[in-house]
Structure formats: structure tokens, C-alpha cells
Amino acid sequence: LIPLFVIIGSGGVGAALYVMRLAVFNPDVCWDKKNNPEPWNKLAPNDQYKFYSVNVDYSKLKKDRPDF
């Protein structure tokens, strides 16, 4: 039973760490509505907020949208 508890426990810890990463680094989540009500508008085109992107080099992206 020990390997079962280790595997299930590591899966639970991994899931909790991923949810914590989403809550802290995702641009869709706003913790401070008074000072930064729309954090998704402050993203630069070369900011990577996805966990893993297969074929995209974010350092070479150019801005193709207007400033608001």
C-alpha cells in the first residue's frame, strides 16, 4: 500500500501546485482590483503565460494590437 499512497500523494501535490501556479501567474486572475483592475491589458506580446507551448518562440513576437 505504500507505493499507492506515494503515487496518489504526489499526484495530489502536483495538482495543488499547478492550481497555485494558475492562481498566481495567470493573467485572467485579478487579486488587486483597486490598483490593477485589468491585468490582461498589461501583457506584452512576448510574455509567456502558458505552461508549455510547443512551437512558439515568445521572444520574437511583435506587437500587433493598439494600446488601451
Side-chain angles (χ1 to χ4, degrees):
L1 287 176
I2 292 174
L4 177 67
F5 289 129
V6 169
I7 291 171
I8 297 297
S10 64
V13 168
L17 288 174
Y18 184 68
V19 168
M20 187 174 66
R21 180 193 176 278
L22 285 177
V24 173
F25 294 114
N26 196 351
D28 295 331
V29 177
C30 182
W31 292 96
D32 186 14
K33 287 190 181 276
K34 184 178 279 187
N35 295 324
N36 192 8
E38 296 176 343
W40 50 87
N41 283 338
K42 295 189 187 270
L43 284 176
N46 55 1
D47 288 340
Q48 179 180 357
Y49 61 91
K50 289 186 175 183
F51 184 69
Y52 178 73
S53 59
V54 180
N55 293 326
V56 179
D57 186 13
Y58 283 94
S59 65
K60 295 181 181 176
L61 289 179
K62 303 228 188 292
K63 185 175 180 179
D64 62 347
R65 57 185 180 217
D67 289 331
F68 289 108

